[in-house]
Amino acid sequence: AQTVTQSQPEMSVQEAETVTLSCTYDTSENNYYLFWYKQPPSRQMILVIRQEAYKQQNATENRFSVNFQKAAKSFSLKISDSQLGDTAMYFCAFISNNNDMRFGAGTRLTVKP
Amino acid sequence: DTGVSQNPRHKITKRGQNVTFRCDPISEHNRLYWYRQTLGQGPEFLTYFQNEAQLEKSRLLSDRFSAERPKGSFSTLEIQRTEQGDSAMYLCASSLGLAGHTQYFGPGTRLTVL
């Protein structure tokens, strides 16, 4: 079974600093995709960043970057220059060709002024 | 295009009643997904459609749940004989193309079963 584990239920960071959220997954598939989604309080889920497993290069989107370690089945998210608007639940997600997207339990990130 | 929309946003019902939710995906998206999210947890996959065909259903989707996408556009999710355990946020997402393409989520329907 494919599972996604986020071991940090809550994290906090000072504004302008850098924070890393952890995610590990378990799969026997070789071709799959990984995502980080952000869910602000009482707002809908939006995509932060996407990684294709066959690409060795780590994805980056402005202040957001990932450290994708395929052999270790690890997919961490780094947020640089944290902003107050980054406060949200962050979910790591996995999908392969079976179309059943699996999410982790989430990490609640609080950016402090 | 204004993104994925869901109606109603909130639904309160009594145990045993039937409820129906609607999802309108992004117009050109051929794939539509339903998820359930309980407090403090990540979304759990329920089912997905490619165009009008329902191609996969989770074991979470008991026989009290049914979903349709009759014309390959909007979708409905019906829960019959609701139970208190059905209380959750029901999320809809849509995407274009293959499984690895980004799913865009709607705001969700929050169901409370009394």
Side-chain angles (χ1 to χ4, degrees):
Chain A
Q2 293 150 344
T3 58
V4 178
T5 302
Q6 294 180 248
S7 59
Q8 305 151 315
E10 294 190 23
M11 292 193 71
S12 63
V13 62
Q14 290 295 132
E15 196 175 5
E17 294 188 347
T18 295
V19 64
T20 299
L21 309 184
S22 301
C23 173
T24 57
Y25 58 93
D26 186 24
T27 183
S28 58
E29 304 271 352
N30 192 48
N31 187 29
Y32 52 87
Y33 305 83
L34 295 159
F35 304 82
W36 279 98
Y37 279 91
K38 168 185 176 181
Q39 191 174 40
S42 302
R43 295 180 61 189
Q44 66 199 73
M45 191 120 47
I46 57 173
L47 177 72
V48 175
I49 201 163
R50 172 178 174 268
Q51 175 80 42
E52 295 150 329
Y54 64 85
K55 288 189 176 178
Q56 292 186 340
Q57 186 172 5
N58 289 326
T60 63
E61 285 289 339
N62 301 314
R63 299 183 294 108
F64 299 89
S65 61
V66 298
N67 182 4
F68 173 47
Q69 301 289 328
K70 191 171 184 179
K73 296 180 182 173
S74 171
F75 183 62
S76 61
L77 174 70
K78 185 172 84 171
I79 305 174
S80 303
D81 185 27
S82 297
Q83 300 176 359
L84 297 179
D86 295 334
T87 292
M89 283 290 289
Y90 286 81
F91 293 100
C92 178
F94 166 103
I95 193 168
S96 64
N97 292 328
N98 68 359
N99 302 296
D100 176 354
M101 184 175 273
R102 300 295 177 99
F103 288 81
T107 296
R108 183 178 304 279
L109 176 68
T110 302
V111 180
K112 298 179 177 179
Chain B
D1 184 26
T2 56
V4 179
S5 62
Q6 292 186 247
N7 288 289
R9 295 291 304 277
H10 303 274
K11 178 71 177 178
I12 300 174
T13 191
K14 292 183 179 179
R15 189 174 53 188
Q17 298 294 305
N18 299 342
V19 294
T20 300
F21 310 141
R22 176 176 169 131
C23 171
D24 287 88
I26 294 171
S27 59
E28 66 269 24
H29 284 185
N30 59 336
R31 290 191 167 208
L32 187 148
Y33 300 80
W34 285 100
Y35 295 87
R36 180 172 67 190
Q37 185 179 23
T38 53
L39 200 61
Q41 297 298 316
E44 296 172 296
F45 171 82
L46 292 178
T47 188
Y48 102 95
F49 293 83
Q50 180 154 320
N51 300 314
E52 66 275 9
Q54 187 175 18
L55 296 185
E56 191 162 338
K57 292 194 292 187
S58 164
R59 280 172 285 183
L60 293 174
L61 209 67
S62 77
D63 56 6
R64 296 185 298 105
F65 288 68
S66 62
E68 294 183 343
R69 194 183 183 198
K71 297 182 180 179
S73 56
F74 73 91
S75 176
T76 57
L77 177 68
E78 181 183 17
I79 309 174
Q80 296 183 326
R81 305 181 304 280
T82 52
E83 302 172 356
Q84 288 185 326
D86 297 331
S87 294
M89 178 75 85
Y90 289 84
L91 298 172
C92 174
S94 70
S95 72
L96 181 64
L98 302 175
H101 287 208
T102 298
Q103 294 184 24
Y104 295 86
F105 282 81
T109 295
R110 182 169 296 284
L111 172 66
T112 302
V113 182
L114 301 176

